[in-house]
Amino acid sequence: MKNLQSVKHKMNWKAYIVILTLVILLFLLSLSTGSTLIPIQELWQHITRQSDQHVFTINILRMPRALLALLVGAALGTAGLILQSIIRNPLASPDIIGITSGGSFGALFFIVFLLDMFSIQWLPLAAIIGAALVATLVYLLSWKNGVTPTRLVLIGIGIAAGMSALVTFMVVFSETAVTTKAYLWLTGSLYGAAMTEVWQMSIWFSSLFIVVLLLAKTMEVLELGDELATSLGVRVQLLRCALLFTSVGLAGAAVAFAGGIGFIGLIAPHIAKKIVPYSLLHLLPITAMIGGFMLMSADLIGRIAFMPLDIPAGVFTASIGAPFFIYLLYRNRYI
């Protein structure tokens, strides 16, 4: 048994190193690639502060965008892993059960009606409130002598469609300037990211991620069933609400800073579970890195594949995520 645990531990560290290396390489590629190609040697000189030749291109245009993609992707992946764990459903993710749509509604409501009265710094809070209200509504409507995974997912899909309709209604009846900005944001774009947004997102993500890490061991008990968890002294409903709020916070912050990017919260946890032994404490950092890698990849493709056009990253995540969701729905059709 000790030998088996030792092997798993080594495999985990190898997975961490490989994925972290891939994330770093992709980050460097994002800094060097674009309408202006920066050679690796010049990029290294910039990083080591031996040259300031590409300060504007790297520090202002590309680095904030790549860092924000990494943080937002990590937040969405982590939020999806939390939901799949507490709901015990492989189909659960923030966008599938309506949390992302709620965050989009809250953020757009703030942009359209409240931006003249409050600072833009309150936008993440507005997105989180919208996501929390929708998450609560989905959970309450799904309750009938308990919550079954399939019922929650189906009701979540319905609520998400309703919230999308409300968002479209606000966009149609808004001013032209607001409509243009809202359309780009709702598609899921990192265009125009700034370091101030990176710092704000890093605070939201790091604080909530630490909370999840502290609760990881207790989360594993929930997956054994509510009755067994209760018999072991776990306050099941309180823990589930705390984890749901944490997932809402991560997804809401991601929506506030990057818009309606879908399916990363669905796909990243599934990839992580194929890489490491099933332990939430190990899965959390792996899932976060995979989510960040996915969104950075989508954003990089959107920047360079159709130059001079800049295609929103959400278009590419949806093109991969939608078929993957259909596959999961088919595989779990008897749940």
Side-chain angles (χ1 to χ4, degrees):
M1 181 64 71
K2 289 183 178 179
N3 291 334
L4 180 60
Q5 290 176 349
S6 176
V7 170
K8 287 184 176 182
H9 182 71
K10 290 180 181 178
M11 289 174 63
N12 284 333
W13 278 111
K14 287 180 181 178
Y16 296 149
I17 293 171
V18 169
I19 295 174
L20 182 59
T21 301
L22 290 174
V23 169
I24 293 172
L25 290 175
L26 181 61
F27 177 73
L28 295 176
L29 183 63
S30 298
L31 297 184
S32 65
T33 308
S35 57
T36 302
L37 184 64
I38 300 175
I40 296 298
Q41 183 179 359
E42 294 181 13
L43 178 62
W44 177 253
Q45 290 175 350
H46 175 84
I47 293 173
T48 57
R49 298 187 177 181
Q50 298 178 30
S51 171
D52 57 358
Q53 182 179 355
H54 303 286
V55 171
F56 179 78
T57 302
I58 295 175
N59 290 6
I60 305 300
L61 297 181
R62 296 181 184 173
M63 186 177 293
R65 187 165 177 168
L67 289 173
L68 189 61
L70 177 62
L71 289 168
V72 169
L76 290 172
T78 304
L81 179 61
I82 295 170
L83 289 175
Q84 290 176 17
S85 176
I86 63 176
I87 298 173
R88 299 194 293 276
N89 189 336
L91 301 175
S93 71
D95 44 306
I96 298 300
I97 68 170
I99 292 177
T100 299
S101 298
S104 298
F105 176 80
L108 190 59
F109 185 88
F110 180 88
I111 292 172
V112 173
F113 298 108
L114 302 177
L115 192 56
D116 293 336
M117 295 182 285
F118 298 96
S119 167
I120 193 66
Q121 305 292 334
W122 293 98
L123 180 61
L125 181 61
I128 289 172
I129 291 173
L133 290 175
V134 169
T136 303
L137 179 62
V138 170
Y139 196 84
L140 291 176
L141 291 177
S142 303
W143 184 271
K144 184 179 180 182
N145 299 321
V147 176
T148 63
T150 303
R151 188 189 304 138
L152 189 142
V153 170
L154 292 176
I155 289 178
I157 291 173
I159 295 295
M163 297 306 298
S164 296
L166 290 176
V167 167
T168 303
F169 181 83
M170 282 195 294
V171 170
V172 169
F173 287 95
S174 299
E175 298 178 0
T176 305
V178 175
T179 300
T180 304
K181 181 179 179 181
Y183 177 77
L184 181 64
W185 177 80
L186 288 170
T187 309
S189 175
L190 296 150
Y191 180 79
M195 283 305 297
T196 54
E197 296 173 326
V198 172
W199 288 118
Q200 292 172 29
M201 183 63 202
S202 65
I203 293 172
W204 280 100
F205 172 72
S206 59
S207 58
L208 292 172
F209 191 76
I210 290 172
V211 172
V212 181
L213 285 176
L214 293 174
L215 296 174
K217 288 296 184 182
T218 313
M219 286 170 62
E220 293 180 358
V221 179
L222 278 183
E223 298 190 344
L224 301 175
D226 291 358
E227 292 183 3
L228 181 56
T230 302
S231 67
L232 293 173
V234 176
R235 301 177 67 179
V236 173
Q237 296 304 324
L238 181 61
L239 178 61
R240 184 170 284 130
C241 287
L243 290 170
L244 182 61
F245 177 79
T246 305
S247 178
V248 165
L250 289 166
V255 168
F257 290 106
I261 294 175
F263 294 105
I264 288 181
L266 176 69
I267 300 174
H270 286 277
I271 297 175
K273 291 172 186 177
K274 296 292 185 181
I275 296 174
V276 298
Y278 192 75
S279 167
L280 282 171
L281 199 58
H282 294 298
L283 278 173
L284 282 166
I286 292 290
T287 303
M289 287 190 288
I290 291 173
F293 183 87
M294 289 177 61
L295 188 52
M296 276 201 299
S297 300
D299 184 57
L300 180 61
I301 293 171
R303 275 201 297 121
I304 67 175
F306 301 95
M307 288 191 295
L309 296 177
D310 193 327
I311 307 299
V315 173
F316 297 99
T317 60
S319 64
I320 297 172
F324 186 77
F325 175 68
I326 294 172
Y327 161 72
L328 286 178
L329 197 61
Y330 174 78
R331 196 181 70 177
N332 296 277
R333 62 192 183 278
Y334 298 120
I335 292 179

